[in-house]
Amino acid sequence: NDFVFHAVLMIEQLLTTGGGYQDQVHGVVPGIKLVRSSPYQVPIDLSVDRIRCSDDTLSAINRRFVLAFTGKPRLAKGILQHVLDRWTRQSDEIVDTVSKLHVCSRDAADAVASGDVDGLGRALSAYWKLKCAMAGPESGVEPREYRELVSVLRSEGMILGASLCGAGGGGFMVAVASEGHDCESIKKFLESKKSGMDDGGGGNGSDFSEMTWHSIDVCSKGASCRVISTATMSGAEDKEVDEANDGFRLGDHRL
């Protein structure tokens, strides 16, 4: 796992896209976890602690966590550069924000361990505010459409917390639904909101029709890969692989 963590980071740097460790660590290691790094050490030494929780808590998280594509793609590199520039200046505000991010991550882990899904939602929103502070308002980290969406869902009591994933600026958002709500109820509400706006029934002018909504589960196995074949294939070999690998044809993916 350590090799994968560092290799992915190296590839991202070679591609000049920036990036860190969070994606590969949380993808490879299953479950909910808290990731720490040792200060002043290169290469960075990562420790990954899986957060244990009851089956009821896990079921509630799976039911109430919602993922949505905002309809707004973005490149994280520009936002990350703003974060690095602000961190380099070491202002009191930024140093304090980093300290609060550490506390926020521990609060989230404690909420999971104690079965407090509402508290996890509050920690998620606190994290988002800190992330915005790290990037700065000029970075574009928080699009207007996202702010309006969260405002609408909060005012209706449908969510307890939300954040854009990754660097922010668009892409995917994750939210913790209030008890009694889930992905389907939020989706239906926004569809009715759009219908009311189309009929002249009010609304704030936001159009969330390009968003797609998804229910999500905590992964219990982590990411894995499978070697299909190391041979050069054609004809009958392609057919055998096609049948053995759920319709995947390696020959269709040659360059």
Side-chain angles (χ1 to χ4, degrees):
N1 285 353
D2 285 344
F3 172 79
V4 174
F5 299 158
H6 292 284
V8 171
L9 177 70
M10 290 176 63
I11 291 172
E12 287 186 319
Q13 302 311 310
L14 290 171
L15 292 172
T16 71
T17 57
Y21 289 96
Q22 65 278 2
D23 294 338
Q24 56 267 40
V25 173
H26 288 288
V28 170
V29 180
I32 302 170
K33 74 283 300 181
L34 185 64
V35 185
R36 297 182 176 89
S37 61
S38 302
Y40 315 118
Q41 184 171 338
V42 178
I44 290 177
D45 181 31
L46 298 172
S47 64
V48 183
D49 299 321
R50 293 188 61 182
I51 310 302
R52 307 296 177 180
C53 64
S54 69
D55 291 342
D56 287 344
T57 298
L58 188 59
S59 177
I61 290 173
N62 288 339
R63 184 178 67 253
R64 293 174 55 185
F65 260 66
V66 178
L67 185 72
F69 177 60
T70 63
K72 180 181 173 64
R74 90 289 187 267
L75 183 64
K77 181 179 179 180
I79 296 173
L80 293 175
Q81 191 59 56
H82 278 278
V83 173
L84 291 174
D85 289 345
R86 288 166 67 81
W87 171 247
T88 300
R89 290 195 287 270
Q90 293 282 292
S91 68
D92 291 342
E93 175 198 5
I94 294 302
V95 173
D96 183 57
T97 299
V98 171
S99 296
K100 289 178 179 177
L101 280 167
H102 287 196
V103 173
C104 190
S105 65
R106 291 195 293 270
D107 289 345
D110 290 344
V112 172
S114 64
D116 183 6
V117 181
D118 288 0
L120 183 57
R122 291 190 292 271
L124 183 64
S125 280
Y127 159 79
W128 173 248
K129 290 178 181 178
L130 294 169
K131 182 189 287 190
C132 290
M134 284 297 297
E138 72 282 356
S139 66
V141 64
E142 187 175 52
R144 174 184 59 83
E145 296 85 355
Y146 170 79
R147 288 197 303 272
E148 292 179 354
L149 172 64
V150 172
S151 176
V152 167
L153 295 178
R154 276 187 176 280
S155 66
E156 295 292 332
M158 304 195 78
I159 63 170
L160 292 172
S163 172
L164 287 174
C165 300
F172 283 87
M173 67 164 279
V174 64
V176 178
S178 302
E179 186 62 63
H181 290 285
D182 57 17
C183 177
E184 222 26 63
S185 64
I186 292 174
K187 183 179 178 181
K188 288 179 180 178
F189 166 75
L190 290 173
E191 287 173 349
S192 68
K193 186 88 172 172
K194 176 64 166 60
S195 176
M197 290 161 54
D198 290 342
D199 296 338
N204 59 7
S206 298
D207 180 4
F208 308 124
S209 59
E210 292 187 359
M211 298 189 69
T212 58
W213 294 85
H214 313 272
S215 57
I216 53 177
D217 291 337
V218 175
C219 181
S220 61
K221 295 183 179 179
S224 62
C225 64
R226 179 171 46 151
V227 177
I228 292 177
S229 176
T230 57
T232 301
M233 297 184 305
S234 63
E237 289 173 313
D238 258 356
K239 184 174 185 299
E240 290 176 5
V241 171
D242 182 32
E243 293 172 349
N245 294 284
D246 303 322
F248 181 91
R249 291 173 55 88
L250 186 59
D252 294 340
H253 298 266
R254 290 199 186 100
L255 296 178

